[in-house]
């Protein structure tokens, strides 16, 4: 019999990916001890013991480091907890038992360690003594650290073994972890931290699962197996919903499915306003396996291929051949439509196990994207070669992320030229005229857009980062969400400046940040003159519907007015009212729900 709860609990977070999910919670952070059984050969036993000793040493050093930092900051009493943690690692009984088990059972170190650890925790949990209970949580904390050292990146593959349809609840999910959730069995995910344009949210959208981030204390309020309803559109999570609430949400789910079905029939009609202005609607692409979605929703090409996800969840770098095969496949699938491949954008909130980057105080301002590629030209060249070779099989363009000005663009183009020269010498086929674009995501790029436009074939405005860097608001920090204002006058002015510079130079400009999939803000962008949008494929029908319901002449006027306003909130309110006046059906979907 399922447990009955009288009171449902409602949590509010940041809506990160739309949709409704219902199912049981799976707390990721508490599952760290799920370790698969791994047998080893007799001659490997000593290696496993050495791995275990090394993991213990590393954990000790790690804890000591944290302790020293806390001591320096706030003094001794707060650092005492770490003494307790260090004591766990000096417990000879525990350490010896693990080694004995590795020998007697011939199992992997992580397997032996987690068995011993779980036995300890179970014993502590049975004892009704506060002091002992605290020791149990010390053992858990330390155990998690040791396992992390033992299992390294392989922990990431735990997702593959998750059972049943579950809602993942975690303190945080890294973009690389999120990628591994490309599985139908995951219904949704919820995190304590993270903002709307964090890459984790972006991956949730491309997985097509609802997500609510920035819930603050979801991992404390939700227990494993709790029944949950997630409303990704409103950023709401309901724990132990009543039967009545479940019924309401089931109805809502049906309505959403009907609405989605109804707008899908616009798949083959152009995104054209009532007075004949067309805008291109392309797809953002992160994970292989998304191609059916790209086609289903009628994308006119790939406007942003985030290649870094191809590099994730592996211990080595993808070779030129692997990359070439992947780029070629998508180029062929989409032909004659264009595929814009963005060169590697690592750093910020995206890291790889295969590239060891020094820890930086402010990674978003550090060695990220094109900077990293210029520092590691061999990694860059390999990718450029693969992209160039793929141009022989479809309509492929390339763009550089995070360009801050013409100097970086020239440096990147210089490397590209060298790669082209080599391929030509070897007689390898590629498109000599492959368009090369620049992403405008740093205020410096927008301010130098006139100069960049002379040397680029197209612009793509990455509003996720442009907003972050213009307003000095960390895009992943849920506590700063109120300051993350896409309609802020500074952002709109930089966008207008970029569009004008592009058009003066006769090149096209697209927007590929999340702002493009917000139907109100997309109308501002279109009114400012944007030529195309790129977004998660499932957002395309909604934006197409919006475009087809208005006149360009109207939104051009609205955009001019929006530019005169003082805050992002004023812009959104003004646009809402103005759009409703000229197209009463503009928000009809929301109104019906
Ligand atoms: C952007 O910054 O808007 C963008 C599209 O790039 P990413 O979200 O991958 O940083
Ligand atoms: Mg970006």
């Amino acid at each position: 019999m399922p447990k009955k709860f009288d009171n449902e609990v409602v949590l509010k977070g940041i809506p990160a990916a739309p949709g409704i999910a219902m199912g049981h919670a799976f707390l990721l952070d508490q599952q760290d001890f799920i370790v698969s059984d791994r047998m080893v050969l007799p001659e490997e036993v000593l290696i496993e013991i050495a791995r275990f000793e090394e993991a213990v040493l590393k954990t000790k050093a790690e804890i000591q480091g944290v302790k020293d930092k806390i001591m320096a900051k706030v003094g001794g009493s707060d650092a005492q907890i770490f003494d307790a943690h260090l004591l766990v690692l000096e417990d000879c009984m525990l350490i010896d038992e693990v080694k004995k088990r590795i020998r007697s059972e011939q199992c992997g170190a992580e397997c032996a360690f987690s068995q011993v650890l779980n036995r300890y925790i179970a014993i502590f949990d049975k004892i009704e003594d506060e002091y002992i209970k605290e020791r149990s949580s010390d053992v858990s904390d330390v155990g998690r650290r040791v396992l992390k050292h033992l299992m390294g990146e392989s922990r990431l593959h735990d997702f593959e073994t998750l059972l049943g349809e579950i809602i993942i609840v975690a303190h945080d999910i890294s973009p690389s972890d999120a990628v591994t959730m490309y599985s139908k069995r995951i219904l949704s995910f919820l995190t304590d931290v993270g903002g709307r344009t964090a890459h984790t949210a972006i991956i949730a959208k491309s997985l097509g699962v609802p997500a609510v981030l920035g819930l603050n204390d979801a991992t404390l309020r939700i227990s494993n197996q709790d029944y949950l309803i997630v409303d990704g559109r409103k950023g709401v999570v309901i724990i132990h919903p009543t039967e009545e609430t479940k019924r309401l949400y089931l109805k809502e789910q049906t309505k959403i499915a009907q609405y989605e079905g109804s707008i899908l029939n616009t798949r083959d009609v152009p995104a054209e306003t009532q007075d004949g202005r067309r805008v291109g609607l392309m797809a953002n692409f992160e994970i292989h396996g998304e191609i059916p979605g790209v086609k289903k929703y009628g994308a006119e090409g790939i406007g942003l291929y985030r290649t870094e996800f191809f590099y994730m969840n592996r211990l080595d770098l993808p070779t030129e051949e692997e990359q070439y095969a992947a780029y070629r496949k998508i180029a062929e699938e989409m032909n004659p439509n264009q595929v814009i491949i963005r060169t590697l954008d690592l750093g910020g909130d995206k890291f790889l196990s295969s590239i060891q980057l020094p820890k930086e105080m402010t990674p978003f301002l550090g060695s990220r994207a094109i900077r990293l590629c210029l520092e590691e030209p061999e990694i860059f060249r390999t990718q450029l070669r693969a992209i160039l070779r793929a141009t022989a099989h479809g309509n492929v363009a390339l763009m550089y992320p995070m360009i801050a000005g013409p100097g970086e663009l020239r440096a990147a183009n210089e490397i590209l030229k060298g790669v082209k020269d080599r391929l030509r010498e070897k007689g390898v086929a590629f498109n000599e005229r492959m368009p090369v674009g620049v992403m405008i995501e740093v205020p410096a790029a927008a301010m130098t857009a006139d100069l960049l436009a002379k040397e680029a074939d197209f612009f793509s405005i990455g509003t996720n980062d442009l907003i972050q860097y213009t307003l000095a608001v960390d895009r992943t920090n849920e506590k700063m969400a109120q300051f993350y204002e896409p309609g802020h006058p500074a952002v709109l002015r930089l966008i207008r400046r970029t569009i004008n510079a592009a058009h003066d130079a006769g090149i096209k400009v697209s927007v590929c940040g999340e702002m493009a999939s917000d139907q109100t803000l997309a109308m501002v962008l279109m009114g400012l003159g944007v030529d195309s949008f790129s977004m998660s494929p499932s957002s395309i029908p909604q934006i197409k519907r919006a475009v087809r319901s208005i006149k360009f002449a109207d939104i051009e006027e609205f955009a001019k007015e929006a530019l005169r306003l003082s805050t992002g909130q004023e812009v959104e309110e003004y646009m809402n009212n103005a759009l409703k006046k000229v197209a009463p059906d503009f928000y009809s979907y929301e109104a019906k729900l």
Side-chain angles (χ1 to χ4, degrees):
M1 269 288 278
K3 212 167 152 188
K4 266 210 175 308
F5 294 92
D6 296 332
N7 288 326
E8 53 185 33
V9 178
V10 178
L11 308 181
K12 185 87 186 69
I14 296 172
I20 288 173
M22 300 190 203
H24 290 100
F26 181 95
L27 268 92
L28 202 59
D29 302 334
Q30 291 182 8
Q31 306 300 328
D32 280 355
F33 297 144
I34 295 178
V35 176
S36 59
D37 290 343
R38 185 171 64 87
M39 303 310 291
V40 296
L41 298 169
E43 57 270 30
E44 288 169 341
V45 161
L46 285 179
I47 301 174
E48 290 303 310
I49 291 178
R51 278 185 63 230
F52 173 60
E53 285 172 341
E54 193 188 332
V56 171
L57 282 178
K58 278 188 182 159
T59 310
K60 271 189 192 167
E62 188 180 272
I63 296 174
Q64 190 62 50
V66 180
K67 183 186 153 186
D68 292 346
K69 258 192 215 145
I70 302 235
M71 286 274 278
K73 263 195 187 158
V74 287
S77 60
D78 283 292
Q80 269 170 15
I81 168 91
F82 298 105
D83 288 331
H85 286 190
L86 287 169
L87 275 179
V88 174
L89 292 172
E90 273 148 26
D91 181 337
C92 298
M93 258 169 50
L94 185 142
I95 306 285
D96 287 348
E97 201 179 324
V98 175
K99 291 185 193 167
K100 250 190 230 154
R101 203 175 271 256
I102 297 176
R103 278 202 189 91
S104 61
E105 316 243 325
Q106 284 185 22
C107 59
E110 66 282 359
C111 173
F113 178 65
S114 79
Q115 284 171 5
V116 174
L117 197 70
N118 286 338
R119 209 173 59 76
Y120 265 62
I121 293 169
I123 295 171
F124 283 140
D125 283 349
K126 279 201 199 111
I127 302 173
E128 291 289 320
D129 177 301
E130 275 315 303
Y131 173 76
I132 305 277
K133 278 212 181 309
E134 266 175 40
R135 287 271 296 159
S136 160
S137 77
D138 290 341
V139 174
S140 300
D141 282 356
V142 174
R144 215 169 272 138
R145 284 180 191 269
V146 175
L147 279 174
K148 209 172 61 196
H149 285 297
L150 274 174
M151 298 174 73
E153 294 303 318
S154 66
R155 196 187 74 79
L156 298 172
H157 302 298
D158 286 352
F159 296 121
E160 313 278 339
T161 59
L162 295 182
L163 294 173
E165 300 205 317
I166 44 169
I167 295 175
I168 299 267
V169 185
H171 179 67
D172 191 10
I173 300 173
S174 71
S176 61
D177 280 354
V179 172
T180 62
M181 294 189 189
Y182 196 72
S183 149
K184 297 275 174 292
R185 292 175 306 187
I186 287 161
L187 298 174
S188 167
F189 62 83
L190 313 175
T191 60
D192 291 340
V193 300
R196 197 189 291 261
T197 63
H199 284 95
T200 306
I202 287 168
I203 295 295
K205 268 196 175 177
S206 66
L207 293 175
V209 296
V212 181
L213 309 190
L215 282 155
N216 290 318
D217 53 2
T219 47
L220 294 179
R221 315 233 343 227
I222 299 172
S223 307
N224 249 327
Q225 286 301 318
D226 274 353
Y227 191 82
L228 307 176
I229 293 179
V230 179
D231 184 342
R233 205 177 15 127
K234 296 192 181 136
V236 165
V237 178
I238 304 169
I239 315 171
H240 314 313
T242 60
E243 289 307 314
E244 177 58 18
T245 309
K246 281 189 201 168
R247 261 194 305 278
L248 276 174
Y249 271 93
L250 274 174
K251 261 197 207 155
E252 201 126 320
Q253 245 181 347
T254 315
K255 272 201 235 166
I256 292 176
Q258 278 166 354
Y259 171 75
E260 281 180 349
S262 76
I263 53 174
L264 266 186
N265 59 24
T266 60
R267 209 191 81 111
D268 299 317
V269 297
E272 188 173 292
T273 60
Q274 290 177 354
D275 50 354
R277 168 85 167 204
R278 270 187 83 151
V279 69
L281 293 187
M282 319 264 281
N284 289 354
F285 182 84
E286 287 86 26
I287 309 160
H288 291 270
E290 278 183 293
I291 295 176
V294 169
K295 296 201 167 157
K296 173 175 152 197
Y297 294 111
E300 296 165 83
I302 304 290
L304 164 65
Y305 179 169
R306 288 184 164 102
T307 55
E308 50 282 357
F309 291 99
F310 185 55
Y311 289 60
M312 285 182 175
N313 299 315
R314 48 188 298 157
L315 296 173
D316 55 352
L317 286 166
T319 62
E320 178 186 329
E321 286 311 310
E322 271 176 84
Q323 293 190 62
Y324 164 61
Y327 304 153
R328 173 179 175 168
K329 185 163 188 294
I330 182 112
E332 285 173 344
E333 289 271 357
M334 296 307 295
N335 209 20
N337 287 330
Q338 192 173 47
V339 176
I340 304 178
I341 303 181
R342 173 174 83 182
T343 57
L344 199 52
D345 177 5
L346 281 182
D349 61 344
K350 292 175 291 192
F351 296 98
L352 297 190
S353 32
S354 47
I355 304 178
Q356 294 301 325
L357 298 175
K359 279 248 174 300
E360 293 177 304
M361 291 290 280
T362 45
F364 274 118
L365 301 181
S367 182
R368 184 187 164 188
I370 197 67
R371 288 181 192 161
L372 183 73
C373 285
L374 295 176
E375 279 160 23
E376 300 279 351
E378 259 330 296
I379 295 176
F380 193 36
R381 278 191 200 103
T382 306
Q383 183 176 38
L384 293 176
R385 270 195 304 273
I387 296 173
L388 279 166
R389 286 171 60 197
T391 61
H393 304 277
N395 181 357
V396 174
L398 165 155
M399 67 182 176
Y400 303 123
M402 304 285 303
I403 291 283
E408 269 172 353
L409 175 59
R410 284 180 195 163
N413 273 340
E414 196 49 42
I415 296 180
L416 179 66
K417 184 180 169 300
V419 172
K420 279 182 167 180
D421 290 346
R422 248 12 53 76
L423 289 179
R424 209 176 296 114
E425 276 160 28
K426 286 190 183 160
V428 177
F430 68 92
N431 175 9
E432 291 276 3
R433 300 151 88 90
M434 171 184 71
V436 177
V438 166
M439 284 194 75
I440 306 291
E441 22 186 16
V442 183
M447 293 305 290
T448 53
D450 53 329
L451 304 175
L452 287 168
K454 289 186 198 146
E455 302 182 31
D457 295 319
F458 63 92
F459 283 162
S460 187
I461 306 177
T463 48
N464 302 339
D465 279 312
L466 187 61
I467 298 165
Q468 151 165 276
Y469 294 119
T470 305
L471 304 180
V473 177
D474 180 345
R475 64 191 268 190
T476 65
N477 184 345
E478 70 288 353
K479 299 205 171 65
M480 297 295 114
Q482 55 171 318
F483 302 113
Y484 193 90
E485 278 185 88
H488 190 290
V491 175
L492 294 188
R493 287 171 195 204
L494 289 175
I495 292 175
R496 178 185 55 180
R497 192 185 182 97
T498 304
I499 296 170
N500 291 347
H503 289 170
D504 286 349
I507 64 170
K508 298 256 194 243
V509 53
S510 156
V511 171
C512 62
E514 292 303 295
M515 197 172 166
S517 57
D518 179 304
Q519 56 179 341
T520 309
L521 295 169
M523 294 306 106
V524 182
L525 296 170
M526 199 175 160
L528 288 174
V530 161
D531 301 292
S532 61
F533 293 122
S534 190
M535 62 193 73
S536 73
S538 59
S539 304
I540 290 176
Q542 175 96 338
I543 297 299
K544 192 184 277 186
R545 185 191 151 281
V547 171
R548 291 178 64 82
S549 69
I550 42 94
K551 288 200 182 85
F552 180 66
D554 286 333
I555 54 168
E556 212 178 6
E557 277 309 307
F558 299 161
K560 268 193 207 136
E561 185 54 35
L563 272 168
R564 290 192 200 106
L565 301 174
S566 311
T567 68
Q569 197 184 340
E570 280 176 23
V571 168
E572 294 203 30
E573 279 167 10
Y574 164 75
M575 285 302 289
N576 281 337
N577 292 330
L579 288 164
K580 267 191 259 173
K581 258 188 218 143
V582 295
D585 245 12
F586 195 81
Y587 296 106
S588 60
Y589 167 61
E590 273 79 7
K592 271 190 222 141
L593 290 177

